[in-house]
Amino acid sequence: MQKKIEEAKRGLENEVKAITSLKEAELLKTKYLGRKGVVSDFMKMLPTLPIEQRAAFGQQLNALKGEITIILEERIASLPSEAAPKGKQELFDITLPGTQPFIGKKHPLTQTIDDIKEVFAGLGFDVAYGPEVELEYYNFDALNIPSDHPSRTDFDTFYIKNDVLLRSQTSTVQIRVMEKQKPPVRIIAPGRVYRPDTVDARHSFMFHQVEGLLVDEGVSFADLKGVLNQFIKTYFGQNVQMRLRPSFFPFTEPSAEVDISCSLCSGKGCCVCSYSGWVEILGAGMVDPNVFHAVHYDAEKYTGFAFGMGVERITMLKHGINDIRLFYENDMRFLSQF
Ligand code: PHE
């Protein structure tokens, strides 16, 4: 018996030298330690032995098992590494470029609002916000808009109930800020506004405005022109011209509509500017004394200016976008260009 065990061990020692791969090592393991392997065959002989020899033989077999395992493990460890792959590692090519994670970016309208905020921050303006669901008082009455004004009908304003509506302009924030704060006031107010317009290439029932308001002692129309000119040159470029046309808003007096030379055709005339060379970008004017009365400011002591611009409008002009609906469709082919 002893001899046979020795022979088996030597047999393995010889065979193990010849193997070159993990697969061959597995085969050897099965041959010696498997269910029908060499050690198992020895085990089957146990019951045929005289009882007094069985315990010793059993011990020898256990020792043999241990030795076989060690011999095999040592051999496996000494195999060249490509013959002994560890898991899936060899399938991973570290020289391949990695998978790019998708990096989102800001919506073009948010980018425009950020740009506007930056220009006005440089001029000392804070940013203020107001509610989109608003009281009629803030959208109309406090802004000196009389109750029979056409914009107050439900053809031009979304009413929620009696005196509650979706704000149709960010001018509401002028009143909310002045109610809370004494002069000097220097704010811009970006946000959404709502009007029951039929949707087409130039209109949407929801769009964005940025309001501006500056109130202090001795503020003049020249200050308004200076601030707007600074904004236009910074945002659209030094070559863009500004033009003011007399206009009317109930909450400013005098009022003006502000045009810039068409940035698409440089003022030569194209379909975007209706061949006039100019496009309107905002409304503005000096704060009407009646607005100051509504917020209990001393209209003899303080003067101020206000303006309101359409964010979609100036984004379209800056980038040559010809349809406002593109902003709201979430089409990545459009959005990823900005
Ligand atoms: N609120 C006006 C509009 O929506 C724009 C405006 C704002 C005009 C401030 C003058 C002063 O058309």
Side-chain angles (χ1 to χ4, degrees), residues 139-176:
N139 203 78
F140 296 123
D141 300 298
L143 286 164
N144 196 37
I145 301 175
S147 45
D148 60 354
H149 193 277
S151 69
R152 294 183 71 144
T153 66
D154 47 17
F155 291 108
D156 284 309
T157 301
F158 284 115
Y159 283 87
I160 289 172
K161 59 181 191 191
N162 278 339
D163 56 345
V164 183
L165 44 76
L166 292 180
R167 68 176 177 194
S168 60
Q169 50 184 357
T170 45
S171 302
T172 52
V173 187
Q174 290 186 35
I175 305 299
R176 287 189 169 272

Side-chain angles (χ1 to χ4, degrees), residues 12-301:
L12 172 70
E13 278 166 351
N14 285 331
E15 281 186 274
V16 95
K17 282 181 200 145
I19 66 167
T20 55
S21 73
L22 205 63
K23 206 169 161 202
E24 287 173 291
E26 277 303 316
L27 288 176
L28 266 190
K29 191 173 171 186
T30 314
K31 178 173 174 186
Y32 282 87
L33 299 177
R35 223 156 31 87
K36 292 178 182 163
V38 175
V39 174
S40 180
D41 284 346
F42 282 136
M43 290 287 191
K44 280 176 204 146
M45 290 159 71
L46 258 180
T48 66
L49 294 178
I51 292 181
E52 61 279 10
Q53 290 178 18
R54 287 184 198 169
F57 187 59
Q59 272 172 10
Q60 284 175 324
L61 285 184
N62 277 338
L64 176 64
K65 240 173 156 176
E67 282 172 306
I68 292 172
T69 307
I70 291 169
I71 292 168
L72 281 170
E73 274 173 4
E74 279 175 356
R75 182 63 186 131
I76 287 168
S78 72
L79 288 173
S81 61
E82 65 269 38
K86 293 192 181 77
K88 284 189 176 161
Q89 263 176 13
E90 71 161 5
L91 298 173
F92 180 68
D93 181 350
I94 57 161
T95 65
L96 284 174
T99 316
Q100 287 280 333
F102 175 74
I103 299 175
K105 44 181 160 175
K106 288 182 181 172
H107 190 279
L109 294 176
T110 309
Q111 289 182 37
T112 302
I113 291 172
D114 284 352
D115 290 345
I116 297 171
K117 281 182 189 166
E118 204 177 306
V119 177
F120 283 99
L123 295 169
F125 284 73
D126 290 330
V127 180
Y129 297 95
E132 290 169 28
V133 178
E134 188 50 286
L135 293 171
E136 205 178 7
Y137 174 76
Y138 290 100
N139 203 78
F140 296 123
D141 300 298
L143 286 164
N144 196 37
I145 301 175
S147 45
D148 60 354
H149 193 277
S151 69
R152 294 183 71 144
T153 66
D154 47 17
F155 291 108
D156 284 309
T157 301
F158 284 115
Y159 283 87
I160 289 172
K161 59 181 191 191
N162 278 339
D163 56 345
V164 183
L165 44 76
L166 292 180
R167 68 176 177 194
S168 60
Q169 50 184 357
T170 45
S171 302
T172 52
V173 187
Q174 290 186 35
I175 305 299
R176 287 189 169 272
V177 167
M178 286 192 285
E179 271 187 351
K180 286 212 194 75
Q181 188 183 325
K182 294 252 158 305
V185 172
R186 210 186 298 180
I187 56 113
I188 56 164
R192 295 192 188 96
V193 299
Y194 301 82
R195 292 179 193 176
D197 286 331
T198 304
V199 176
D200 63 22
R202 282 158 179 264
H203 297 91
S204 165
F205 54 85
M206 183 282 300
F207 59 99
H208 298 72
Q209 288 186 332
V210 175
E211 192 82 6
L213 174 69
L214 186 145
V215 183
D216 206 342
E217 290 179 51
V219 178
S220 76
F221 203 92
D223 297 315
L224 170 61
K225 281 180 77 174
V227 164
L228 291 179
N229 194 51
Q230 178 70 31
F231 165 70
I232 286 165
K233 298 264 150 116
T234 313
Y235 184 77
F236 287 102
Q238 293 301 320
N239 298 328
V240 172
Q241 301 299 310
M242 176 178 89
R243 171 176 94 167
L244 274 70
R245 280 176 293 111
S247 186
F248 174 79
F249 297 102
F251 37 93
T252 47
E253 183 62 34
S255 304
E257 262 159 329
V258 179
D259 299 340
I260 58 168
S261 55
C262 180
S263 51
L264 294 183
C265 64
S266 309
K268 285 187 204 83
C270 67
C271 60
V272 169
C273 58
S274 306
Y275 300 94
S276 71
W278 296 93
V279 273
E280 184 198 323
I281 60 158
L282 58 88
M286 301 306 290
V287 180
D288 192 291
N290 282 345
V291 174
F292 283 149
H293 295 155
V295 296
H296 309 296
Y297 275 14
D298 183 348
E300 295 300 319
K301 188 171 175 196

